[in-house]
Amino acid sequence: MQNMKKIKQPQTYAQATAGKDMTTQTPKKESKMWKWIMYTLPGVLTSVMLFGLGYELFSQEWEMLYRSQELSLFLPTQQFFNQFLIYPGGVLQWLGCWATQFFYHPSAGVAMLVGCWAMILLLLSGLFQLRGWKVLLAWVPVLLLMATVVQTGYWIYYTKLQGYLFVPSLGILLSLVAACIYRLINARETADGTLSWVRRGVALVWMLLFARYGYQWMGAWMFLGLAIMALPKTLKGIHAQKAGLAVTKVLVPAVVAAICVMIVPRQAYEHVYCQTQVDTLYVACMPSFKFGATDNIDMHETYVMLFLSFIPMLFVRYKTPVRLQGKLQTVVVGLTIIALVAFGMVQVRMKWYRDVDFQKELVMNRCIEEGDWEGVLDAAPGWTESDTLKAPTRAMVMMKNLALFRLGRVGNEMFNYLEGCHEARMDSMQVRLTQVGGKQLYYNYGKLNFCYRWCMEDGVEYGWKVEHLKFMSKCALLKGEWKVAEKYLNLLKQTRYHAEWAKEYEQYVGHPELMEQNPMMAPICKLKEYGDRLDGDGSLIELYLLRTFANGHGVDPVYQEATLFSSLIMKEIDLFWPRLKEYAQMHGKEPNFHMPRHYQEAALLYSVLEPNKPSIMVPGKTNAEALKQFPIDDSVKKSYQDFMAFNGRADIAPLTEAQKRIAFQPMYGNTFYFFYFLVRGQKTN
């Protein structure tokens, strides 16, 4: 008994110093304030930061989030679920698609995403015992998750990972849940150490089960769960004083986890999956940012940093090789936490894809879908805007022209907006109009076969989406293919938010006369009668549409005006005059008819450029002679004279074409003369 009394029990630092120097203790009132600062305030800040992230995401990315659910699909059917099981991580993608559908109301989708981040914060705080200000370390992976969302940009059209916006957050959340279960199983030992091997055995069985099924359900995100299970024990064992403790409690979980990482993916490849490439085994269910032969390393960096962001929490939770004591440890840990959180915030700011053209394209596309043509024009950049040097993308120009065409104002207002061909790019990725808005344009110009074709091709390449089913339904209806239309409408009726849309369009099945009364579909009914062939567009949508219409002939006024403004954009004089004559014959006898301004400007300019050429408008006379009989407004004549006089000024004449474009635009940017002489090299892809 005396010998046992001499054995000193190990003491923690708090136990060793308890009761000493009582005179230095903080007064009770100050102690409460200190506890509030250390423990309550971090929780309050966490709640505020979560709300701030959600608000910022909703306010800045509303259009992108709404568009994401149009570019996704979730059906509550067994067949839809089964199609995800042919790839590793299929269940996680299925969950991502389920969650993405709630972005139909962006506020609801953001609330779900922020709620997922809040659960991640709680689980990290519990797993790594982050208390007080240390809880801010859990914010680093959350901020990087925010970065994965806001860096998306045009990749929303090209990513092949279904449920992309939710997959990273759900992958981490499920990994943490699995790690928590492992920790609960292996949490405590009995007082005398008996039966502890049972707990460790059950925990290892859980690890094996998680590795076996987690890879199938979560793909590469399973590796994170294994690491969180094994690494804490490993770090604890590094500082263990007994070798036996390191072997039994540390090395076995680490070795089992390592073996699982090496064997499970390969076994799944050999015996489970038949459509998975061997070089993608360790990145399964991770997004790919590869466009052609180029891989976007910058966007992959976010995911690398996301996995590495868990390491600091391990070293804060367990003793580190560098032993620091007292205030020095507090200062070092505090500065490290501040630096890491600041790094996460900087990453969100740097990765955020803030492109005005991208946002405007999203707005214009949504407005077209809703039939809000004025909304399209409100989003289109006007020539009087301050940023006149930056040309719009061709998608924006084409959607603007479509809106004016539908409103019957294309001949008067086409050049009231900026023209140009600013190429939409995102790092190494070249954005193509076929994905951004080509289906919408083909559909609204009556090229139903091409719209259907691109929906089918993109569905095979990038996965089926709500947008595809909607366009394919409408194309089938307009072509009178009732059975095909019913097939797609029945699929849409199973969705959560698009069932009403499907029921609305279901009334047109077998009733083509109703489509002719629909203001959105009636013009398409007229346009589709002229040359709806599936020949070949070479992926050059704008050029194909312009050539098709400019060389077309039709007796319908809607189609005929499409041929006229198309020939105007192409700047082909020989195509313009016959189209203008047809337009004048169709509308000339209408009461209060007035030739649109841009058509007058083109007629005046072409007559001056080819004065001696025989006139098509007035047979038997030249263009110069016919111009005297052509009703040209005085304001149009004056604007042309002023344009030429300005071009002849001593300070303007020597300028290059690019310099003249800048000089002329404030005064003449809304004229056809400016478009004809100074807007060149426009191309689409």
Side-chain angles (χ1 to χ4, degrees):
M1 294 295 293
Q2 292 179 354
N3 293 333
M4 293 182 62
K5 291 182 179 179
K6 293 180 180 180
I7 298 176
K8 294 184 178 180
Q9 299 297 326
Q11 291 180 312
T12 64
Y13 179 78
Q15 291 172 336
T17 58
K20 296 182 180 181
D21 196 12
M22 300 299 292
T23 57
T24 61
Q25 289 186 354
T26 307
K28 186 175 181 181
K29 184 177 181 180
E30 186 177 350
S31 176
K32 288 183 178 180
M33 179 62 69
W34 178 254
K35 289 181 179 180
W36 186 87
I37 293 174
M38 290 301 296
Y39 298 102
T40 306
L41 183 58
V44 174
L45 290 177
T46 296
S47 301
V48 173
M49 290 175 67
L50 279 172
F51 177 81
L53 284 185
Y55 176 79
E56 190 73 6
L57 184 61
F58 172 78
S59 60
Q60 299 295 323
E61 297 292 343
W62 190 96
E63 293 291 347
M64 188 273 288
L65 297 176
Y66 178 81
R67 186 80 172 124
S68 68
Q69 58 84 31
E70 289 279 339
L71 299 175
S72 180
L73 178 66
F74 179 82
L75 300 175
T77 64
Q78 185 66 38
Q79 182 181 4
F80 182 78
F81 177 76
N82 290 341
Q83 73 180 13
F84 285 91
L85 299 183
I86 61 176
Y87 305 105
V91 175
L92 187 58
Q93 294 186 64
W94 180 82
L95 289 173
C97 291
W98 173 81
T100 300
Q101 66 180 329
F102 292 96
F103 280 129
Y104 183 85
H105 301 292
S107 58
V110 169
M112 291 182 63
L113 195 57
V114 172
C116 187
W117 295 344
M119 288 188 286
I120 289 174
L121 288 172
L122 290 173
L123 291 175
L124 286 174
S125 300
L127 276 171
F128 298 103
Q129 297 184 11
L130 302 176
R131 299 292 182 266
W133 289 98
K134 292 180 181 179
V135 75
L136 294 181
L137 271 179
W139 268 98
V140 180
V142 170
L143 289 171
L144 291 172
L145 285 172
M146 174 85 165
T148 64
V149 175
V150 299
Q151 73 177 4
T152 304
Y154 282 105
W155 279 103
I156 194 175
Y157 297 103
Y158 291 92
T159 181
K160 297 181 181 180
L161 181 65
Q162 304 299 305
Y164 162 74
L165 296 181
F166 271 96
V167 162
S169 298
L170 291 175
I172 290 179
L173 179 60
L174 293 178
S175 297
L176 294 177
V177 170
C180 283
I181 295 174
Y182 176 85
R183 187 70 56 83
L184 290 173
I185 295 173
N186 204 19
R188 296 179 181 178
E189 297 180 357
T190 56
D192 57 355
T194 59
L195 299 180
S196 60
W197 61 271
V198 176
R199 288 180 175 271
R200 292 199 294 272
V202 174
L204 290 177
V205 171
W206 168 249
M207 181 183 290
L208 292 171
L209 290 173
F210 175 71
R212 168 65 177 82
Y213 296 101
Y215 184 75
Q216 294 187 26
W217 298 345
M218 301 167 55
W221 299 98
M222 178 270 293
F223 304 142
L224 178 62
L226 287 181
I228 297 176
M229 293 178 193
L231 285 179
K233 288 287 185 181
T234 302
L235 287 178
K236 186 176 181 180
I238 291 175
H239 304 282
Q241 297 179 358
K242 297 181 180 180
L245 179 65
V247 172
T248 58
K249 292 187 177 181
V250 178
L251 292 185
V252 172
V255 170
V256 170
I259 292 175
C260 289
V261 170
M262 291 186 291
I263 294 180
V264 170
R266 187 71 189 187
Q267 290 297 311
Y269 173 75
E270 295 288 347
H271 303 289
V272 180
Y273 303 109
C274 60
Q275 300 187 33
T276 301
Q277 297 178 351
V278 67
D279 58 345
T280 63
L281 291 179
Y282 288 91
V283 292
C285 204
M286 299 289 291
S288 173
F289 301 107
K290 191 171 185 178
F291 187 84
T294 306
D295 207 352
N296 191 320
I297 303 299
D298 184 59
M299 298 189 77
H300 282 297
E301 287 178 354
T302 306
Y303 290 86
V304 174
M305 291 184 292
L306 180 59
F307 277 85
L308 296 178
S309 64
F310 293 89
I311 296 177
M313 286 179 276
L314 291 171
F315 284 97
V316 169
R317 169 66 179 88
Y318 299 98
K319 294 181 180 179
T320 59
V322 181
R323 296 181 180 277
L324 301 174
Q325 298 295 336
K327 294 183 178 180
L328 181 59
Q329 183 183 32
T330 303
V331 171
V332 172
V333 172
L335 291 177
T336 302
I337 293 174
I338 293 173
L340 289 172
V341 174
F343 171 78
M345 292 181 175
V346 170
Q347 286 299 310
V348 172
R349 183 176 181 85
M350 291 178 59
K351 301 291 185 180
W352 205 312
Y353 186 72
R354 299 179 185 271
D355 183 21
V356 175
D357 290 340
F358 174 64
Q359 293 294 335
K360 286 187 175 182
E361 286 177 1
L362 293 175
V363 173
M364 297 172 79
N365 204 306
R366 176 178 55 80
C367 290
I368 291 177
E369 179 66 25
E370 297 173 354
D372 182 9
W373 303 112
E374 290 293 349
V376 177
L377 299 179
D378 290 340
W383 67 275
T384 57
E385 292 185 6
S386 57
D387 189 14
T388 56
L389 300 182
K390 183 179 179 181
T393 64
R394 292 312 297 168
M396 295 164 62
V397 174
M398 293 187 68
M399 287 189 281
K400 174 264 299 182
N401 289 339
L402 173 63
L404 289 172
F405 172 56
R406 283 299 191 92
L407 292 171
R409 291 154 37 189
V410 66
N412 283 312
E413 301 178 23
M414 185 192 310
F415 303 119
N416 286 2
Y417 302 84
L418 279 176
E419 290 286 336
C421 57
H422 173 66
E423 189 173 9
R425 276 186 175 272
M426 186 177 178
D427 299 322
S428 61
M429 180 179 64
Q430 184 180 11
V431 181
R432 299 190 180 278
L433 187 59
T434 51
Q435 275 75 37
V436 175
K439 308 173 192 67
Q440 187 76 267
L441 293 167
Y442 271 139
Y443 170 76
N444 281 282
Y445 279 117
K447 305 302 178 183
L448 305 180
N449 285 324
F450 270 111
C451 177
Y452 193 95
R453 170 233 172 152
W454 282 112
C455 286
M456 184 66 69
E457 289 196 11
D458 282 0
V460 174
E461 180 72 14
Y462 302 105
W464 294 104
K465 306 171 183 178
V466 169
E467 181 187 67
H468 297 157
L469 297 181
K470 284 185 175 181
F471 278 127
M472 295 168 87
S473 300
K474 292 187 288 187
C475 288
L477 287 171
L478 287 165
K479 294 170 67 175
E481 299 172 349
W482 312 125
K483 293 295 184 181
V484 177
E486 286 181 332
K487 178 179 69 174
Y488 298 127
L489 291 172
N490 287 335
L491 289 174
L492 286 170
K493 284 196 295 184
Q494 298 178 62
T495 61
R496 180 182 295 269
Y497 293 109
H498 302 281
E500 292 300 322
W501 184 96
K503 293 177 182 178
E504 177 185 349
Y505 276 83
E506 198 173 30
Q507 64 178 316
Y508 300 119
V509 176
H511 298 283
E513 69 281 359
L514 296 179
M515 289 185 282
E516 296 178 357
Q517 301 173 11
N518 186 308
M520 285 292 292
M521 304 178 76
I524 303 175
C525 292
K526 299 177 180 179
L527 293 172
K528 72 182 180 67
E529 301 299 331
Y530 299 91
D532 182 19
R533 298 184 300 273
L534 189 61
D535 37 21
D537 61 357
S539 299
L540 302 176
I541 295 176
E542 182 179 22
L543 185 60
Y544 176 82
L545 287 173
L546 290 176
R547 285 178 176 175
T548 301
F549 282 114
N551 290 280
H553 297 276
V555 297
D556 185 85
V558 175
Y559 180 82
Q560 199 283 323
E561 183 161 20
T563 67
L564 178 56
F565 83 77
S566 295
S567 65
L568 193 70
I569 295 175
M570 293 189 69
K571 304 180 184 179
E572 294 191 14
I573 300 177
D574 292 337
L575 289 176
F576 171 77
W577 284 118
R579 307 296 169 265
L580 182 64
K581 184 175 182 179
E582 292 174 356
Y583 183 85
Q585 290 173 344
M586 287 184 180
H587 301 280
K589 296 181 180 180
E590 296 176 0
N592 302 321
F593 170 74
H594 185 265
M595 182 66 69
R597 179 181 183 85
H598 295 320
Y599 302 154
Q600 293 186 46
E601 293 172 340
L604 174 58
L605 178 61
Y606 289 162
S607 297
V608 173
L609 293 177
E610 296 179 340
N612 299 321
K613 192 172 183 178
S615 173
I616 295 179
M617 300 295 295
V618 183
K621 295 188 177 182
T622 64
N623 282 334
E625 295 171 341
L627 182 62
K628 298 177 181 179
Q629 302 179 15
F630 198 83
I632 303 293
D633 295 346
D634 292 338
S635 59
V636 174
K637 295 178 181 179
K638 186 176 186 306
S639 66
Y640 174 76
Q641 295 169 356
D642 293 343
F643 182 92
M644 291 303 176
F646 187 76
N647 185 57
R649 280 174 37 175
D651 59 331
I652 299 297
L655 298 179
T656 64
E657 190 171 291
Q659 293 171 330
K660 285 185 177 181
R661 177 183 173 92
I662 298 174
F664 275 77
Q665 189 158 6
M667 294 179 291
Y668 305 104
N670 62 340
T671 65
F672 175 71
Y673 324 124
F674 178 87
F675 176 77
Y676 185 84
F677 289 110
L678 298 175
V679 178
R680 300 180 183 275
Q682 301 197 111
K683 58 182 179 179
T684 186
N685 54 38

